[in-house]
């Protein structure tokens, strides 16, 4: 029987919650299916047409019965709604102290990178007991990251970031699938998640091979090789906003609105810089769409996240003073 399990193993903290809800739904469905089927049979026999009997008059209005069959199902679906909502919130809201992993899906593989720099393809190693958050995007079409043993499944969509999280409970190896049809080798786009004891995981993570830069340091290299540094200078003389300490704050835009600086905003500002111009700056930045891979964008974002606020620097909220017209910084086209 173990070769053909009906349910995948429960290997994350979400798994028992999801299963309990599913068993409840199953129990409700089985109960009503049996009730309706047996009543159907019973009534068909009990009230079958007999020799010589006249058709009875239609039954009168039965208020009590109608109220009962309205309120009981209403109560049941409200329980399902409340319960389902609470499980959904638990699954969709990662806790604060997560270990973050970057995921890029492409036809037909999963590319994963730990913030220490260690890369994996179609394999993911994680420690047990630790909340792990995945920030995911796709290089081509829609994929879906699916680990049945963790009861997580999230679409991985080109052009945006989706996140999901899990806290693995039991060391072992668990199947990873792509759960969104993405072409010829969709069914082969999978691999394994290996859950290790925390100490074992630390040893594994320390085995990083030379040359595996952390995403943040790879991002720093990209930042200078793409020429970003020419405009986003740390001395506030650049044509673009200073990025130090920017992540996690809010910035004020030209139109007066305010946006939180998160991964999605940073990504958009790299591939579509004109979409949200910070107040006080001009729309000078060219798009880097196609010039940098999705992994590169994730690395740039990790670099920006790693930039601590400067000493005594003004908060990025509000309008930093733009370079004076005619100053060297205001002239000329984009640096790259
Ligand atoms: Cu990727 Cu299916």
């Amino acid at each position: 029987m173990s070769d053909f399990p009906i349910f995948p193993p429960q290997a994350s903290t979400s798994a028992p919650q999801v299963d309990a809800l599913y068993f409840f739904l199953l129990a409700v469905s089985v109960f009503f299916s049996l009730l309706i089927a047996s009543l159907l049979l019973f009534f068909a026999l009990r009230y079958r047409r007999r020799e010589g009997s006249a058709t009875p008059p239609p039954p009168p209005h039965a208020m009590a019965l109608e109220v009962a069959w309205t309120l009981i199902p209403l109560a049941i679906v409200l329980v399902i709604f409340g319960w389902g909502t609470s499980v959904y919130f638990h699954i969709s809201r990662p806790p604060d102290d997560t270990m973050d992993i970057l995921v890029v899906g492409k036809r037909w593989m999963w590319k994963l990178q730990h913030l220490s720099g260690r890369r994996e393809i179609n394999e993911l190693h994680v420690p047990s007991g630790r909340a792990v958050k995945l920030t995911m995007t796709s290089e081509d079409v829609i994929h879906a990251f699916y680990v049945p043993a963790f009861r997580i499944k999230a679409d991985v969509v080109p052009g945006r970031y989706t996140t999901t999280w899990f806290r693995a409970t039991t060391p072992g190896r668990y199947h990873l699938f792509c759960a969104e049809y993405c072409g010829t080798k969709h069914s082969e786009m999978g691999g394994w998640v290996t859950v290790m004891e925390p100490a074992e995981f630390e040893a594994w993570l320390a085995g990083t091979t030379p040359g595996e830069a952390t995403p943040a340091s790879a991002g720093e290299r990209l930042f200078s090789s793409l020429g970003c540094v020419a405009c986003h200078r740390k001395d506030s003389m650049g044509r673009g906003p200073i990025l130090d300490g920017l992540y996690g704050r809010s910035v004020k835009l030209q139109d007066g609105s305010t946006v939180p600086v998160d991964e999605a905003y940073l990504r958009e500002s790299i591939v579509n810089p004109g979409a949200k111009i910070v107040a006080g700056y001009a729309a000078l930045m060219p798009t880097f769409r196609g010039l940098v891979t999705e992994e590169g964008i994730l690395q740039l974002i990790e670099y920006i996240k790693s930039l601590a606020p400067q000493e005594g620097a003004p908060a990025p909220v509000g309008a930093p003073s733009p370079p004076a017209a005619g100053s060297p910084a205001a002239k000329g086209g984009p640096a790259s």
Side-chain angles (χ1 to χ4, degrees):
M1 207 54 199
S2 62
D3 287 343
F4 188 73
I6 303 223
F7 274 82
Q10 293 182 338
S12 78
T13 50
S14 307
Q17 298 181 16
V18 173
D19 287 359
L21 181 61
Y22 265 90
F23 280 123
F24 176 73
L25 295 177
L26 193 63
V28 169
S29 306
V30 167
F31 173 79
F32 280 101
S33 302
L34 290 178
L35 180 73
I36 290 167
S38 46
L39 283 179
L40 194 73
L41 268 177
F42 172 75
F43 289 151
L45 291 172
R46 175 81 176 73
Y47 300 109
R48 69 186 185 277
R49 184 164 185 184
R50 288 164 215 255
E51 205 63 43
S53 62
T55 308
H61 185 73
M63 190 60 166
L65 199 58
E66 293 200 4
V67 168
W69 77 41
T70 304
L71 291 188
I72 293 173
L74 179 70
I76 292 172
V77 294
L78 282 180
V79 167
I80 294 171
F81 171 74
W83 190 348
T85 306
S86 87
V87 173
Y88 177 80
F89 277 146
H90 177 261
I91 290 177
S92 55
R93 282 188 186 154
D96 291 333
D97 59 331
T98 50
M99 184 182 105
D100 292 2
I101 289 171
L102 311 176
V103 182
V104 176
K106 65 176 282 192
R107 288 178 291 180
W108 286 275
M109 63 165 85
W110 294 106
K111 298 191 283 186
L112 304 107
Q113 190 170 23
H114 298 257
L115 292 193
S116 71
R118 185 116 199 209
R119 290 169 179 283
E120 306 192 68
I121 286 180
N122 294 340
E123 287 273 344
L124 173 62
H125 290 73
V126 292
S128 61
R130 181 93 193 265
V132 175
K133 185 174 109 182
L134 308 174
T135 300
M136 308 185 290
T137 190
S138 166
E139 271 182 28
D140 36 44
V141 299
I142 302 179
H143 305 278
F145 192 93
Y146 180 33
V147 184
F150 298 165
R151 309 295 190 274
I152 57 162
K153 178 157 76 174
D155 277 2
V156 176
V157 183
R160 60 178 286 187
Y161 291 133
T162 47
T163 58
T164 189
W165 79 281
F166 58 87
R167 193 191 300 272
T169 50
T170 323
R173 266 164 81 71
Y174 305 101
H175 268 299
L176 157 68
F177 295 104
C178 175
E180 187 71 55
Y181 180 66
C182 55
T184 314
K185 292 186 185 167
H186 156 72
S187 62
E188 293 172 30
M189 184 173 168
W192 295 91
V193 179
T194 304
V195 178
M196 307 167 104
E197 297 289 355
E200 203 187 343
F201 174 76
E202 289 308 323
W204 176 86
L205 200 61
T208 301
T209 48
E212 280 185 317
T214 65
S217 66
E220 184 173 15
R221 277 208 299 275
L222 275 174
F223 195 78
S224 70
S225 68
L226 291 169
C228 315
V229 69
C231 294
H232 296 284
R233 285 163 54 177
K234 290 180 190 285
D235 58 6
S236 81
M237 295 298 288
R239 281 166 290 186
I242 299 174
L243 304 178
D244 301 60
L246 187 64
Y247 181 79
R249 295 179 181 241
S250 296
V251 287
K252 200 165 171 209
L253 303 182
Q254 273 181 343
D255 63 5
S257 61
T258 303
V259 290
V261 179
D262 55 10
E263 282 91 348
Y265 170 72
L266 292 176
R267 182 184 189 285
E268 181 186 57
S269 297
I270 294 168
V271 298
N272 185 14
K276 296 192 176 79
I277 299 291
V278 174
Y281 289 92
L284 291 171
M285 180 170 156
T287 175
F288 284 81
R289 192 190 296 277
L291 296 177
V292 52
T293 61
E294 287 297 340
E295 278 173 288
I297 295 173
L298 283 165
Q299 289 163 347
L300 281 169
I301 291 173
E302 285 307 319
Y303 170 61
I304 293 169
K305 285 162 81 171
S306 74
L307 295 170
Q310 287 178 327
E311 284 290 310
V317 187
S321 49
S327 78
K331 284 188 194 144
S336 49

PDB file of all heavy atoms in Angstrom, residues 266-285:
ATOM      1  N   LEU A 266      10.420  47.140  -7.152  1.00  0.00           N
ATOM      2  CA  LEU A 266      11.796  47.222  -7.661  1.00  0.00           C
ATOM      3  C   LEU A 266      11.896  46.556  -9.028  1.00  0.00           C
ATOM      4  O   LEU A 266      12.553  47.071  -9.934  1.00  0.00           O
ATOM      5  CB  LEU A 266      12.758  46.562  -6.670  1.00  0.00           C
ATOM      6  CG  LEU A 266      12.926  47.310  -5.338  1.00  0.00           C
ATOM      7  CD1 LEU A 266      13.812  46.521  -4.381  1.00  0.00           C
ATOM      8  CD2 LEU A 266      13.515  48.699  -5.566  1.00  0.00           C
ATOM      9  N   ARG A 267      11.236  45.411  -9.180  1.00  0.00           N
ATOM     10  CA  ARG A 267      11.285  44.726 -10.472  1.00  0.00           C
ATOM     11  C   ARG A 267      10.684  45.613 -11.563  1.00  0.00           C
ATOM     12  O   ARG A 267      11.252  45.785 -12.630  1.00  0.00           O
ATOM     13  CB  ARG A 267      10.506  43.414 -10.391  1.00  0.00           C
ATOM     14  CG  ARG A 267      10.562  42.651 -11.694  1.00  0.00           C
ATOM     15  CD  ARG A 267       9.723  41.401 -11.667  1.00  0.00           C
ATOM     16  NE  ARG A 267      10.017  40.661 -12.875  1.00  0.00           N
ATOM     17  CZ  ARG A 267       9.559  40.997 -14.077  1.00  0.00           C
ATOM     18  NH1 ARG A 267       8.775  42.041 -14.211  1.00  0.00           N
ATOM     19  NH2 ARG A 267       9.895  40.291 -15.134  1.00  0.00           N
ATOM     20  N   GLU A 268       9.524  46.192 -11.261  1.00  0.00           N
ATOM     21  CA  GLU A 268       8.873  47.044 -12.247  1.00  0.00           C
ATOM     22  C   GLU A 268       9.766  48.229 -12.606  1.00  0.00           C
ATOM     23  O   GLU A 268       9.866  48.626 -13.774  1.00  0.00           O
ATOM     24  CB  GLU A 268       7.537  47.559 -11.701  1.00  0.00           C
ATOM     25  CG  GLU A 268       6.791  48.430 -12.695  1.00  0.00           C
ATOM     26  CD  GLU A 268       5.539  49.042 -12.097  1.00  0.00           C
ATOM     27  OE1 GLU A 268       5.640  49.746 -11.069  1.00  0.00           O
ATOM     28  OE2 GLU A 268       4.468  48.805 -12.650  1.00  0.00           O
ATOM     29  N   SER A 269      10.456  48.774 -11.623  1.00  0.00           N
ATOM     30  CA  SER A 269      11.297  49.935 -11.891  1.00  0.00           C
ATOM     31  C   SER A 269      12.503  49.574 -12.749  1.00  0.00           C
ATOM     32  O   SER A 269      13.097  50.437 -13.376  1.00  0.00           O
ATOM     33  CB  SER A 269      11.761  50.545 -10.568  1.00  0.00           C
ATOM     34  OG  SER A 269      10.634  50.998  -9.838  1.00  0.00           O
ATOM     35  N   ILE A 270      12.866  48.298 -12.773  1.00  0.00           N
ATOM     36  CA  ILE A 270      13.987  47.874 -13.619  1.00  0.00           C
ATOM     37  C   ILE A 270      13.511  47.612 -15.048  1.00  0.00           C
ATOM     38  O   ILE A 270      14.146  48.043 -16.006  1.00  0.00           O
ATOM     39  CB  ILE A 270      14.657  46.617 -13.021  1.00  0.00           C
ATOM     40  CG1 ILE A 270      15.321  46.962 -11.675  1.00  0.00           C
ATOM     41  CG2 ILE A 270      15.695  46.043 -13.988  1.00  0.00           C
ATOM     42  CD1 ILE A 270      15.761  45.754 -10.865  1.00  0.00           C
ATOM     43  N   VAL A 271      12.390  46.924 -15.199  1.00  0.00           N
ATOM     44  CA  VAL A 271      11.948  46.558 -16.551  1.00  0.00           C
ATOM     45  C   VAL A 271      11.028  47.604 -17.178  1.00  0.00           C
ATOM     46  O   VAL A 271      10.894  47.662 -18.388  1.00  0.00           O
ATOM     47  CB  VAL A 271      11.254  45.170 -16.579  1.00  0.00           C
ATOM     48  CG1 VAL A 271      12.215  44.092 -16.145  1.00  0.00           C
ATOM     49  CG2 VAL A 271       9.997  45.159 -15.752  1.00  0.00           C
ATOM     50  N   ASN A 272      10.406  48.417 -16.362  1.00  0.00           N
ATOM     51  CA  ASN A 272       9.480  49.428 -16.883  1.00  0.00           C
ATOM     52  C   ASN A 272       9.629  50.700 -16.056  1.00  0.00           C
ATOM     53  O   ASN A 272       8.741  51.076 -15.293  1.00  0.00           O
ATOM     54  CB  ASN A 272       8.050  48.886 -16.820  1.00  0.00           C
ATOM     55  CG  ASN A 272       7.058  49.833 -17.466  1.00  0.00           C
ATOM     56  OD1 ASN A 272       7.440  50.758 -18.176  1.00  0.00           O
ATOM     57  ND2 ASN A 272       5.769  49.619 -17.195  1.00  0.00           N
ATOM     58  N   PRO A 273      10.801  51.357 -16.198  1.00  0.00           N
ATOM     59  CA  PRO A 273      11.140  52.438 -15.263  1.00  0.00           C
ATOM     60  C   PRO A 273      10.155  53.602 -15.304  1.00  0.00           C
ATOM     61  O   PRO A 273      10.000  54.310 -14.322  1.00  0.00           O
ATOM     62  CB  PRO A 273      12.518  52.896 -15.734  1.00  0.00           C
ATOM     63  CG  PRO A 273      13.002  51.846 -16.668  1.00  0.00           C
ATOM     64  CD  PRO A 273      11.811  51.169 -17.233  1.00  0.00           C
ATOM     65  N   GLY A 274       9.479  53.783 -16.441  1.00  0.00           N
ATOM     66  CA  GLY A 274       8.583  54.927 -16.545  1.00  0.00           C
ATOM     67  C   GLY A 274       7.280  54.758 -15.793  1.00  0.00           C
ATOM     68  O   GLY A 274       6.513  55.714 -15.651  1.00  0.00           O
ATOM     69  N   ALA A 275       7.011  53.558 -15.310  1.00  0.00           N
ATOM     70  CA  ALA A 275       5.698  53.280 -14.717  1.00  0.00           C
ATOM     71  C   ALA A 275       5.466  54.086 -13.447  1.00  0.00           C
ATOM     72  O   ALA A 275       4.378  54.596 -13.225  1.00  0.00           O
ATOM     73  CB  ALA A 275       5.557  51.791 -14.423  1.00  0.00           C
ATOM     74  N   LYS A 276       6.485  54.182 -12.604  1.00  0.00           N
ATOM     75  CA  LYS A 276       6.318  54.899 -11.331  1.00  0.00           C
ATOM     76  C   LYS A 276       7.560  55.736 -11.080  1.00  0.00           C
ATOM     77  O   LYS A 276       8.572  55.240 -10.618  1.00  0.00           O
ATOM     78  CB  LYS A 276       6.099  53.908 -10.181  1.00  0.00           C
ATOM     79  CG  LYS A 276       4.823  53.089 -10.291  1.00  0.00           C
ATOM     80  CD  LYS A 276       4.526  52.349  -8.993  1.00  0.00           C
ATOM     81  CE  LYS A 276       3.203  51.597  -9.068  1.00  0.00           C
ATOM     82  NZ  LYS A 276       3.298  50.334  -9.795  1.00  0.00           N
ATOM     83  N   ILE A 277       7.470  57.016 -11.427  1.00  0.00           N
ATOM     84  CA  ILE A 277       8.612  57.911 -11.269  1.00  0.00           C
ATOM     85  C   ILE A 277       8.551  58.558  -9.886  1.00  0.00           C
ATOM     86  O   ILE A 277       7.524  59.115  -9.496  1.00  0.00           O
ATOM     87  CB  ILE A 277       8.599  58.994 -12.368  1.00  0.00           C
ATOM     88  CG1 ILE A 277       8.687  58.354 -13.760  1.00  0.00           C
ATOM     89  CG2 ILE A 277       9.733  59.986 -12.159  1.00  0.00           C
ATOM     90  CD1 ILE A 277      10.005  57.709 -14.066  1.00  0.00           C
ATOM     91  N   VAL A 278       9.652  58.479  -9.179  1.00  0.00           N
ATOM     92  CA  VAL A 278       9.699  59.078  -7.850  1.00  0.00           C
ATOM     93  C   VAL A 278       9.635  60.600  -7.982  1.00  0.00           C
ATOM     94  O   VAL A 278      10.249  61.184  -8.879  1.00  0.00           O
ATOM     95  CB  VAL A 278      11.000  58.646  -7.136  1.00  0.00           C
ATOM     96  CG1 VAL A 278      11.158  59.376  -5.804  1.00  0.00           C
ATOM     97  CG2 VAL A 278      10.991  57.147  -6.924  1.00  0.00           C
ATOM     98  N   ALA A 279       8.878  61.213  -7.094  1.00  0.00           N
ATOM     99  CA  ALA A 279       8.717  62.663  -7.138  1.00  0.00           C
ATOM    100  C   ALA A 279      10.091  63.334  -7.108  1.00  0.00           C
ATOM    101  O   ALA A 279      10.964  62.956  -6.327  1.00  0.00           O
ATOM    102  CB  ALA A 279       7.879  63.123  -5.948  1.00  0.00           C
ATOM    103  N   GLY A 280      10.273  64.305  -7.991  1.00  0.00           N
ATOM    104  CA  GLY A 280      11.528  65.043  -8.016  1.00  0.00           C
ATOM    105  C   GLY A 280      12.526  64.513  -9.017  1.00  0.00           C
ATOM    106  O   GLY A 280      13.595  65.093  -9.184  1.00  0.00           O
ATOM    107  N   TYR A 281      12.189  63.429  -9.687  1.00  0.00           N
ATOM    108  CA  TYR A 281      13.101  62.866 -10.680  1.00  0.00           C
ATOM    109  C   TYR A 281      12.446  62.852 -12.049  1.00  0.00           C
ATOM    110  O   TYR A 281      11.222  62.856 -12.164  1.00  0.00           O
ATOM    111  CB  TYR A 281      13.518  61.447 -10.278  1.00  0.00           C
ATOM    112  CG  TYR A 281      14.438  61.446  -9.079  1.00  0.00           C
ATOM    113  CD1 TYR A 281      13.919  61.324  -7.798  1.00  0.00           C
ATOM    114  CD2 TYR A 281      15.808  61.605  -9.236  1.00  0.00           C
ATOM    115  CE1 TYR A 281      14.751  61.355  -6.699  1.00  0.00           C
ATOM    116  CE2 TYR A 281      16.647  61.637  -8.150  1.00  0.00           C
ATOM    117  CZ  TYR A 281      16.116  61.519  -6.877  1.00  0.00           C
ATOM    118  OH  TYR A 281      16.938  61.550  -5.805  1.00  0.00           O
ATOM    119  N   ALA A 282      13.284  62.795 -13.078  1.00  0.00           N
ATOM    120  CA  ALA A 282      12.758  62.760 -14.436  1.00  0.00           C
ATOM    121  C   ALA A 282      12.786  61.325 -14.949  1.00  0.00           C
ATOM    122  O   ALA A 282      13.535  60.488 -14.458  1.00  0.00           O
ATOM    123  CB  ALA A 282      13.599  63.651 -15.344  1.00  0.00           C
ATOM    124  N   ALA A 283      11.941  61.067 -15.945  1.00  0.00           N
ATOM    125  CA  ALA A 283      11.849  59.719 -16.528  1.00  0.00           C
ATOM    126  C   ALA A 283      13.002  59.506 -17.504  1.00  0.00           C
ATOM    127  O   ALA A 283      12.821  59.476 -18.711  1.00  0.00           O
ATOM    128  CB  ALA A 283      10.508  59.538 -17.210  1.00  0.00           C
ATOM    129  N   LEU A 284      14.204  59.383 -16.975  1.00  0.00           N
ATOM    130  CA  LEU A 284      15.389  59.255 -17.822  1.00  0.00           C
ATOM    131  C   LEU A 284      15.827  57.821 -18.000  1.00  0.00           C
ATOM    132  O   LEU A 284      16.510  57.475 -18.956  1.00  0.00           O
ATOM    133  CB  LEU A 284      16.560  60.017 -17.173  1.00  0.00           C
ATOM    134  CG  LEU A 284      16.453  61.529 -17.154  1.00  0.00           C
ATOM    135  CD1 LEU A 284      17.569  62.108 -16.298  1.00  0.00           C
ATOM    136  CD2 LEU A 284      16.539  62.066 -18.569  1.00  0.00           C
ATOM    137  N   MET A 285      15.465  56.980 -17.070  1.00  0.00           N
ATOM    138  CA  MET A 285      16.038  55.639 -17.050  1.00  0.00           C
ATOM    139  C   MET A 285      15.497  54.793 -18.195  1.00  0.00           C
ATOM    140  O   MET A 285      14.292  54.759 -18.436  1.00  0.00           O
ATOM    141  CB  MET A 285      15.715  54.985 -15.706  1.00  0.00           C
ATOM    142  CG  MET A 285      16.257  53.594 -15.575  1.00  0.00           C
ATOM    143  SD  MET A 285      16.097  52.994 -13.881  1.00  0.00           S
ATOM    144  CE  MET A 285      16.090  51.217 -14.172  1.00  0.00           C
TER     145      MET A 285
END
